[in-house]
Amino acid sequence: MATLWLINVTLDTGGQLAFKAAASDPLAGDGMARWRYMARRPWIWLGILAYVTHLLSWIAFLSLVDLSQGVLLASINIVAIMIAGRLLFREKLTPLRVGGILLVSAGVAIVGLSG
């Protein structure tokens, strides 16, 4: 179960980061030209692959845990994505966001220890 959970976190985070990389490319242009440009870049396809694989691993994970526990454990993805966004895209982590990260992490720890 823990392995599937880590796979889910990794795939969801990786997919989000790939989509962000595709969407934030300064060479992409505007309108439909932007979408055509992104469709030719590997980041968008890596993100799609990560999400398709994430869907399959998510179904496998949910077959092992209660839905309420699975959804709460999956909340750690938010933390991973925010930290990765800070490291890779220099996004701001305000005190309010850091507080949110701590609360989500505490909630995931409580749910993880109880199950």
Side-chain angles (χ1 to χ4, degrees), residues 44-114:
I44 198 82
W45 298 106
L46 183 63
I48 291 169
L49 177 64
Y51 264 47
V52 169
T53 310
H54 173 256
L55 173 65
L56 298 174
S57 67
W58 178 243
I59 292 168
F61 180 68
L62 287 180
S63 73
L64 301 175
V65 299
D66 292 337
L67 179 61
S68 59
Q69 182 184 22
V71 168
L72 289 171
L73 288 172
S75 297
I76 201 69
N77 297 0
I78 297 166
V79 174
I81 292 164
M82 287 178 70
I83 292 170
R86 171 68 181 130
L87 296 173
L88 298 174
F89 299 107
R90 293 179 170 53
E91 294 181 350
K92 292 184 179 182
L93 283 181
T94 64
L96 197 56
R97 288 181 185 177
V98 171
I101 285 173
L102 295 174
L103 288 172
V104 169
S105 298
V108 170
I110 290 168
V111 170
L113 292 174
S114 70

Side-chain angles (χ1 to χ4, degrees), residues 5-20 47 50-51 54 74-85 88-89:
W5 178 64
L6 289 173
I7 289 169
N8 270 285
V9 171
T10 302
L11 289 169
D12 187 33
T13 302
Q16 291 284 351
L17 294 171
F19 288 144
K20 175 66 177 181
Y51 264 47
H54 173 256
S75 297
I76 201 69
N77 297 0
I78 297 166
V79 174
I81 292 164
M82 287 178 70
I83 292 170
L88 298 174
F89 299 107

